[in-house]
Amino acid sequence: MSGRVVLVGAGPGDPDLITVRGAAALAAADVVLYDSLATKELLGLAPAHAERVDVGKRGHDAPTRPQDEINALIVEHARAGKVVVRLKGGDPFVFGRGGEEASACAKAGIRCEIVPGVTSALAAPAYAGIPVTDRRHGASFAVVTGHKDPGRPAEETRWGQLGVAVDTLVILMGMRNLADIVDKLVAGGRDPATPSAAVMRGTLGTQRVVVAPLHELPARVRASGLGAPATVVVGDVVKLRDEIGWWEREPLFGMRVLVTRAAAQSAELASALRTAGAEPVLMPLIDLVAPDDPARLTALDEALESLADYDGLVFASSNGVRFLAARARARTGDLSAFRGQVFCVGQKTAEAALAVGLPVHLVASGRSDAEGLLAQILQAAPAKGRSFLLPRSDVGRTVIADGLRAAGARVDSVEAYRNVRPEVDVAALHRDLAAGTLGALTFTSPSTVEHFDDLLQDDAARRAVGDCIVAAVGTTTAAALRARGIEPDVVPKRPEPRALVEALTAHVRALHDENHSENRDETGDER
Ligand code: SAH
């Protein structure tokens, strides 16, 4: 058994800022030991079987797990033959005690690989529009910790000297001692008027930035209620924020957006939302599982065994593809026995089909829903006498099956997966609705709509939904919303997560422009 350890930098906050290699290491992990700073969502990249252990240190005062214990845990798991990923916030070697963990591995004779990460020391300033070097303002930077180690009596950082030795100072863990640090920098000769900034929760939709001259920064930070985790930047480069600042100007910046999609599939939508500046609020309202009814499983297995007999395979969603392929893997191997044509609703479904080795013949274009695909299948060739297999969910619509049968085809519509309702924090949802803190709600299937509607407890909650922007991924989901009395504001042309976010962005922009023109009317300015 050859266990090994990979120290992986998780990046500064936005889970998309992990490196490609870091993501690959997670995908190969047997055990993930993670920090409180490392984004929990990254844990979804580890395989289902991987053990996930929170070894987070919880800041200055809370009881923290001693580093020795973490080191011992790492070594113990590796000795048991496991691939151990130690996931650490930012970069593992920037104030992350990654060095100590690597030493522990070296002493124990365990292979230890390092995957550097995007450090918050650079990413938080970048998301605040502050380059740490710039030919016009600064040619050097230093990254310093502002946290006094209680285990060490003497303070080692010579702030006075450091402050005048480099152009840009980046201070991590500096919020608590900020006033003291600023005093020392100024006493050492740094200009008290030096432009400075504190960036809290950098790279996230909840990022907050305070800018002030150095000597005023502590008071301004206090007044604004900024706290950890935050990065402090001191130097003339901070001036550039006015011009370069970009993150807060992203169209959906700061908007909390409810994501109701199944947990296993929410990553793309969440990522697209984050890229636009939003803060996805993950509340999966459906979960997809394999059929459990023996009769239905038998029907699915029989269809798999006679794959070669079908002329057409019709998928209404990528889930149908995934579950059919998974069942095939568990039973007969793969889907290569199928020799007919593959029809898909939506580009994502087609990609999923290609990914499991199925050639795709037709993707519904234009009206890319079940009705659209049915029309195109019928248009391409007469259905009479042909046989089709439709792997579907337990609650799927029957538009295609009915239409093909009516046209004289033989249709086997088999249950390949089931929709189940996961447990939901209903109280949290109602709190958010009551407080009006959800800017938008997204729905990607009729079952998410139905579950959501069933969760709404009173008229107040229903009214609150009316105040949110409601987005449906496609026409079927939009119809399900209308059936429940909720009018969708946003329906993208293509039923895909990225298109959904683009359409939401366009909607928000339009609302914004409308408000602006209204304001201009009121003040009598130009229209
Ligand atoms: N290894 C990490 C740093 C660990 S020390 C890295 O390379 O980023 C923890 C400190 O990092 C915090 O106290 C704060 O100063 C900074 N930090 C972490 N995440 C941050 C974020 N999202 N925004 C601003 N600062 C952050």
Side-chain angles (χ1 to χ4, degrees):
M1 296 263 254
S2 62
R4 62 194 174 92
V5 174
V6 195
L7 299 187
V8 174
D14 180 338
D16 281 357
L17 290 173
I18 193 168
T19 62
V20 173
R21 181 158 308 168
L26 273 171
D30 297 314
V31 184
V32 184
L33 304 171
Y34 62 98
D35 263 356
S36 39
L37 269 183
T39 327
K40 300 261 188 311
E41 270 165 278
L42 288 175
L43 297 177
L45 296 178
H49 78 264
E51 191 186 336
R52 292 148 168 86
V53 188
D54 183 357
V55 296
K57 303 191 201 57
R58 279 164 254 278
H60 295 278
D61 299 325
T64 60
R65 198 192 278 256
Q67 187 63 45
D68 288 351
E69 233 176 74
I70 298 177
N71 295 353
L73 210 56
I74 294 173
V75 168
E76 186 189 310
H77 280 296
R79 285 214 169 116
K82 304 274 174 62
V83 176
V84 183
V85 165
R86 173 69 175 107
L87 186 64
K88 304 176 72 69
D91 179 274
F93 281 180
V94 176
F95 304 128
R97 305 186 78 162
E100 293 165 47
E101 293 168 1
S103 287
C105 291
K107 286 205 184 77
I110 288 162
R111 220 174 107 204
C112 177
E113 216 179 293
I114 319 293
V115 182
V118 174
T119 177
S120 57
L122 303 179
Y127 270 67
I130 305 169
V132 292
T133 71
D134 183 280
R135 283 207 308 176
R136 296 161 292 180
H137 300 287
S140 59
F141 68 93
V143 179
V144 202
T145 170
H147 175 49
K148 277 190 266 181
D149 186 339
R152 289 174 199 229
E155 197 198 41
E156 288 172 358
T157 310
R158 282 160 297 169
W159 290 101
Q161 280 160 280
L162 188 65
V164 289
V166 289
D167 297 325
T168 307
L169 264 181
V170 179
I171 306 163
L172 301 189
M173 297 178 280
M175 294 303 264
R176 172 166 286 223
N177 299 325
L178 190 57
D180 193 32
I181 292 168
V182 167
D183 284 348
K184 289 186 174 127
L185 291 172
V186 172
R190 189 76 191 221
D191 182 354
T194 309
S196 304
V199 185
M200 179 184 183
R201 290 194 294 259
T203 77
L204 300 177
T206 52
Q207 169 172 302
R208 291 182 61 196
V209 181
V210 165
V211 176
L214 179 59
H215 70 288
E216 284 176 25
L217 190 67
R220 293 283 298 282
V221 158
R222 227 178 302 121
S224 317
L226 246 61
T231 292
V232 172
V233 194
V234 178
D236 283 343
V237 288
V238 171
K239 285 185 208 159
L240 291 167
R241 170 173 163 81
D242 273 347
E243 190 182 23
I244 301 178
W246 61 282
W247 180 230
E248 295 92 341
R249 295 178 195 154
E250 287 300 298
L252 301 186
F253 177 76
M255 181 186 274
R256 298 179 75 234
V257 178
L258 192 71
V259 174
T260 56
R261 199 167 211 205
Q265 295 170 292
S266 63
E268 191 184 357
L269 180 54
S271 160
L273 284 167
R274 267 194 221 97
T275 305
E279 186 199 348
V281 178
L282 304 183
M283 189 184 75
L285 291 182
I286 52 162
D287 196 8
L288 306 178
V289 295
D292 59 351
D293 177 322
R296 302 199 166 180
L297 271 175
T298 306
L300 179 60
D301 290 342
E302 282 171 4
L304 280 169
E305 271 150 35
S306 45
L307 266 183
D309 302 340
Y310 292 103
D311 302 306
L313 195 45
V314 185
F315 294 108
S317 80
S318 58
N319 302 318
V321 179
R322 280 196 301 118
F323 278 93
L324 187 74
R327 186 67 185 172
R329 268 197 300 279
R331 304 276 304 178
T332 47
D334 56 21
L335 302 171
S336 57
F338 180 70
R339 293 266 165 261
Q341 296 190 310
V342 177
F343 307 101
C344 298
V345 173
Q347 199 55 42
K348 289 284 150 189
T349 310
E351 280 164 24
L354 290 171
V356 299
L358 289 170
V360 175
H361 296 83
L362 187 65
V363 185
S365 60
R367 186 173 170 178
S368 52
D369 55 9
E371 285 81 357
L373 183 62
L374 173 65
Q376 283 178 277
I377 295 175
L378 295 178
Q379 206 175 16
K384 199 169 171 56
R386 287 199 289 160
S387 68
F388 292 87
L389 174 62
L390 277 64
R392 56 162 177 84
S393 83
D394 57 337
V395 297
R397 300 167 72 222
T398 55
V399 174
I400 300 178
D402 295 347
L404 289 173
R405 282 196 192 106
R410 190 174 67 77
V411 176
D412 286 339
S413 175
V414 297
E415 182 180 308
Y417 63 99
R418 290 183 303 130
N419 279 264
V420 295
R421 292 185 171 187
E423 224 176 277
V424 173
D425 188 344
V426 186
L429 173 66
H430 280 81
R431 267 199 307 278
D432 278 345
L433 284 173
T437 52
L438 288 171
L441 316 173
T442 64
F443 298 95
T444 46
S445 67
S447 25
T448 56
V449 171
E450 283 147 22
H451 190 189
F452 179 80
D453 188 52
D454 290 347
L455 290 175
L456 296 179
Q457 286 162 343
D458 47 37
D459 289 345
R462 265 166 222 290
R463 275 196 302 278
V465 167
D467 294 335
C468 303
I469 299 171
V470 176
V473 76
T475 49
T476 310
T477 306
L481 281 163
R482 288 194 190 98
R484 297 278 181 145
I486 303 171
E487 185 54 35
D489 303 291
V490 174
V491 186
K493 289 212 176 65
R494 286 169 291 119
E496 291 158 20
R498 298 213 173 256
L500 178 70
V501 174
E502 276 166 29
L504 177 60
T505 303
H507 182 79
V508 169
R509 279 221 176 92
L511 285 179
H512 190 249
D513 291 347
E514 224 170 79
N515 284 342
H516 270 251
S517 58
E518 272 170 26
N519 289 346
R520 277 204 293 271
D521 279 352
E522 275 163 30
T523 55
D525 286 346
E526 63 185 22
R527 288 201 56 138

